[in-house]
Amino acid sequence: MSFANEVKMDLTGEERSILEGIQGPVPQKILKSVIMYGEAFGADRLLPITGASHQVISLGSPGLALYYGIVQQFVDAGLKLDQPFTVDPRPIHPAMVEAGLMTQAGFDFMKPHQEAYEKQLMALGLKNEDAFTCTCYLEEVGNIPRKGDVLAWSESSAVVYANSVLGARTNRNSGGLDIMCSLAGKAPRFDLLTDEGRQASWLIELKTETLPNAQLLGSAIGLRVMEAVPYITGLAELMEGLPQDARTAFLKDMGAASASNGAVGLYHVEGLTPEALDQGQALLKPGFKTFTITEETLAATHANYPQTWDEPSAAPDLALIGCPHLSLTQLEQWSRALLAALDQTGRQRVGLKTALFAAPGVIKAFEAGEPVLLKRLKTAGIGLSPTCPLMFMNNPMNTFKAVITNSNKLRTYSQTRFLMDEEVLEAVVTGGLKGGA
Ligand code: F3S
């Protein structure tokens, strides 16, 4: 029996003919892989993808040779994505060497693999040379899904943003499947691509006096609901008066923390996010559970983070800020805050090597719009990088370093220590931790 006859999901005539090889062996294998993936998750059919792709594998590394071999088959078959796409941050960039985050030798070792992989991505329709960031949905990058768009993204922080803030529809796919779904132009219909899958099984009641730290709030939500969909009340009221870009930056950081500390792919915020505005509490499933978050909940969440430094009392070596990548407003705010803190203490340079991470397009906009700030940052020893702090930490050469961050995603996947923004600021200026080393 042919594979096409074994498939349980409904297929169109066109899909069946691709499975029978009418477009050649590579599209046939791609569609077969997409269908097998969908069937494993109980998909009933394939949906046409309507938005541009964003892919998670951005790394040119000798360890991924098998994957590049598969991608080369796509290139050799002359395949190209329908719409220009974006990819996660580059692992290396000359700015890393400049900021002292990477040695020239490490950069030279990685460069040939990175260049070869980027050529493959360009052949498949990469948007442009600057299309490397996890915040592809920012204006400066321009891969902004529309409400209702069907996608097949994998980067967890981008998935949760696209679903929740923009009202697009994508599951949390994986590297490799994101590109295959996009080349096939189809996404298997299950979970977050269905109306039922987008309903909330948790009501999160936020009852804090003031707007909490986004990263801590996302962490508390993710740790409680894991992969379920939460419906959050009490947050929109605390955001009243905030400019739009501050709101979306907050939702970006909260979502990334919930997606990494748990596995949230979609959240609804009452009175704020598109589906909650349309449907309100009708989004809550019968029998939903309730979790109330107060200042005490957040303090307990923070206090329970494991201490992962090899030397707990070590003075920090490095501060990494911008996971997910900073928006332009956040980059400007961090720059001004760091420089103001230095001015207050009469210091010229930071006490701790510090890097701010943002999309290439955001860094270019900052460089063009804030030349004076840029010059001062350089003098103060603060680097701007379009790379990914997690890829930096995954380098075995860096795991032994004592690194602080304000990112809960980075804390979760590496040995970095999470600090609140004010604590990071103080540590960067003084070079030490309050009450510690
Ligand atoms: Fe982005 Fe890298 Fe963090 S991809 S979300 S900066 S881990």
Side-chain angles (χ1 to χ4, degrees), residues 75 323 330 412:
V75 174
C323 168
Q330 286 179 310
T412 305

Side-chain angles (χ1 to χ4, degrees), residues 256-340:
S258 71
S260 53
N261 288 214
V264 174
L266 162 69
Y267 59 81
H268 303 293
V269 181
E270 188 161 79
L272 201 59
T273 54
E275 280 151 280
L277 284 171
D278 288 348
Q279 300 175 54
Q281 297 206 359
L283 281 166
L284 282 161
K285 282 183 187 170
F288 65 85
K289 300 185 203 103
T290 302
F291 177 47
T292 302
I293 296 183
T294 60
E295 275 87 1
E296 289 72 32
T297 321
L298 296 173
T301 303
H302 193 180
N304 281 334
Y305 293 153
Q307 153 51 45
T308 54
W309 282 3
D310 290 344
E311 197 48 69
S313 60
D317 296 316
L318 199 58
L320 304 179
I321 300 165
C323 168
H325 275 171
L326 298 169
S327 68
L328 182 58
T329 306
Q330 286 179 310
L331 183 52
E332 288 165 357
Q333 284 170 344
W334 268 105
S335 303
R336 288 186 206 289
L338 287 163
L339 294 171

Side-chain angles (χ1 to χ4, degrees), residues 68 151 189 251 286 318 349 376 409:
Y68 310 135
L151 312 166
R189 197 187 91 97
L251 296 176
L318 199 58
R349 287 183 68 82
R376 284 208 60 206
K409 177 171 180 177

